Amino acid sequence: MKISIASGKGGTGKTTVATNLASLISESENVLLLDLDVEEPNSGLFIGGEELFCRVVDRMIPEWNHANCTLCGLCQELCNFNSIVRIASEILVFKELCHSCYACSELCPEGALPMKANRMGVTRASQSGRLVFVDSKLDIGQEQAVPLISATKEVAKEFPDRDIILIDSPPGTSCPVIEATMDSDLVILVTEPTPFGMNDLMLAVETMKEIGRPYVVVINRYGIGDSRVEEYCINEGIEIIAMIPDDRKVAEIYSRGKLPYKEVKAFRNEICRIKDYIYKYKAENTVQ
C-alpha cells in the first residue's frame, strides 16, 4: 500500500502529517517513509534512527566524442528536449535540459554520444524500530528534481518487508509532484482553511484528476479561517478524513523537532483518524 501526502502549496502541514502518521503506524507495522521533496527534504528533522546507508546518485548524460562524430545532425533531430545542438563543427550538450532518455546515444550511427554518469544528489536511509526512513537531497545547481525523485522511489524496492509506504511529496502541482504521486494507491491532500489553501487545493484536485489518482483531504490548522474549503469538498464530493485543530502547542513542539501526536491528544486523535482510514481503504482495495 503506497500513500502519498501532498498539497497544492508549501506550508500546509504535509510533512507534519507524514512524519506523525509514519511514526504512529510504525508502532504496530513495518513502515517506509520516503521524503521526495528532494529540493528541501525536512522529514529527517523529526525522524531519527540508525543510518543504514548514504550513497551518491548519478544520472546518465551523453558526452560528445568528436573523434567519432560525422556531424550528421541526427542527435539534434532526435532530442525532444533541445538539449543537443549542432553549431558549425561542434555538438553542444546542455546537461540541464537532458532527460536521460538515451535516444541520441542509442541511435547515433557512429556511437559518438556515449552516456556518462553525472552526480545529481545524495540518498540516505535510516531505521528506528519498525520505521525505515529514506530521503534524497538534490545537489546545488542541479536543475531537475524528477530524476532524483524517480531514483529515490526505486530505493523502496530494497525494503520489500514494508506493510505501508508513506511518501512526503514535494509541494505544488508541477512535474516533481506528478512523479511522486503517479503510482500511489491513495493521495492525501493536506490543505488549510484559508483563501490560499482553497485556491491551491483546487489546483491539486485537478492534478489528481488528470493523472487518475484517488484522493482525499485533510484540513490542517482547522479553525483559523472560514468554511469555504469544507463547502468546496462537499460540493465536489471529496471526502474529508481529518480536521487537525489549530493549536499553538503543536507548533511549539514541532519547532523543537518533536512529534506532536505523542503529546497533544486532539492532534493524535486526528492522526489516528487518518490511520484508521488508510487501514479501511487498504482492506477495501486489497485484491484477494
Side-chain angles (χ1 to χ4, degrees):
M1 188 71 176
K2 187 180 293 184
I3 311 289
S4 287
I5 292 92
S7 63
K9 64 182 285 290
T12 59
K14 175 173 49 63
T15 295
T16 303
V17 171
T19 52
N20 283 271
L21 183 61
S23 183
L24 176 64
I25 296 177
S26 72
E27 293 176 357
S28 57
E29 293 199 61
N30 294 329
V31 179
L32 173 62
L33 173 60
L34 297 178
D35 189 343
L36 297 186
D37 185 5
V38 299
E39 295 178 83
E40 193 58 48
N42 55 19
S43 291
L45 298 173
F46 308 93
I47 305 294
E50 179 182 352
E51 185 174 285
L52 301 177
F53 62 76
C54 180
R55 61 178 70 141
V56 172
V57 184
D58 299 317
R59 68 186 181 112
M60 305 303 288
I61 303 292
E63 185 176 272
W64 181 49
N65 184 337
H66 64 88
N68 293 350
C69 184
T70 61
L71 298 172
C72 68
L74 179 62
C75 53
Q76 178 176 282
E77 296 175 20
L78 289 169
C79 185
N80 288 328
F81 307 102
N82 300 312
S83 64
I84 298 181
V85 177
R86 175 189 169 186
I87 299 180
S89 60
E90 289 193 39
I91 299 294
L92 302 181
V93 178
F94 297 97
K95 297 179 180 180
E96 295 81 7
L97 299 178
C98 180
H99 282 57
S100 305
C101 72
Y102 280 74
C104 62
S105 181
E106 294 291 336
L107 298 176
C108 175
E110 306 301 329
L113 287 163
M115 302 295 282
K116 301 292 184 181
N118 284 253
R119 172 173 164 151
M120 60 177 168
V122 175
T123 295
R124 303 171 299 174
S126 61
Q127 183 164 6
S128 176
R130 304 183 73 169
L131 173 60
V132 172
F133 171 66
V134 176
D135 71 347
S136 293
K137 187 169 181 62
L138 201 65
D139 283 348
I140 294 173
Q142 289 292 322
E143 297 287 334
Q144 296 184 43
V146 170
L148 186 54
I149 292 173
S150 180
T152 309
K153 289 168 66 176
E154 288 295 309
V155 176
K157 297 177 181 178
E158 300 179 30
F159 303 97
D161 62 332
R162 301 293 98 181
D163 301 305
I164 291 179
I165 298 174
L166 293 175
I167 294 173
D168 185 1
S169 304
T173 56
S174 59
C175 293
V177 177
I178 293 172
E179 177 63 27
T181 59
M182 63 187 301
D183 57 352
S184 295
D185 299 297
L186 177 68
V187 179
I188 298 174
L189 298 175
V190 182
T191 188
E192 56 188 19
T194 64
F196 286 121
M198 173 69 180
N199 178 74
D200 294 321
L201 173 62
M202 293 170 65
L203 295 175
V205 166
E206 290 305 311
T207 302
M208 293 304 109
K209 288 180 179 178
E210 188 68 27
I211 65 175
R213 294 296 86 201
Y215 57 91
V216 291
V217 165
V218 167
I219 301 178
N220 188 32
R221 302 190 189 95
Y222 184 70
I224 66 171
D226 53 37
S227 62
R228 281 182 288 181
V229 168
E230 291 175 77
E231 292 169 0
Y232 166 75
C233 290
I234 292 170
N235 293 335
E236 294 294 321
I238 302 170
E239 187 168 3
I240 300 173
I241 64 171
M243 294 187 288
I244 301 172
D246 183 48
D247 190 329
R248 180 183 175 88
K249 187 175 181 181
V250 170
E252 291 174 351
I253 295 169
Y254 186 80
S255 69
R256 295 195 296 269
K258 305 297 182 181
L259 297 175
Y261 88 94
K262 296 181 179 180
E263 301 182 43
V264 182
K265 185 177 180 181
F267 182 89
R268 182 186 178 92
N269 289 342
E270 296 305 305
I271 297 298
C272 284
R273 287 186 62 189
I274 302 172
K275 172 188 172 183
D276 292 342
Y277 182 88
I278 290 174
Y279 285 167
K280 178 184 174 184
Y281 187 88
K282 183 180 179 182
E284 291 175 349
N285 291 274
T286 299
V287 178
Q288 299 298 328

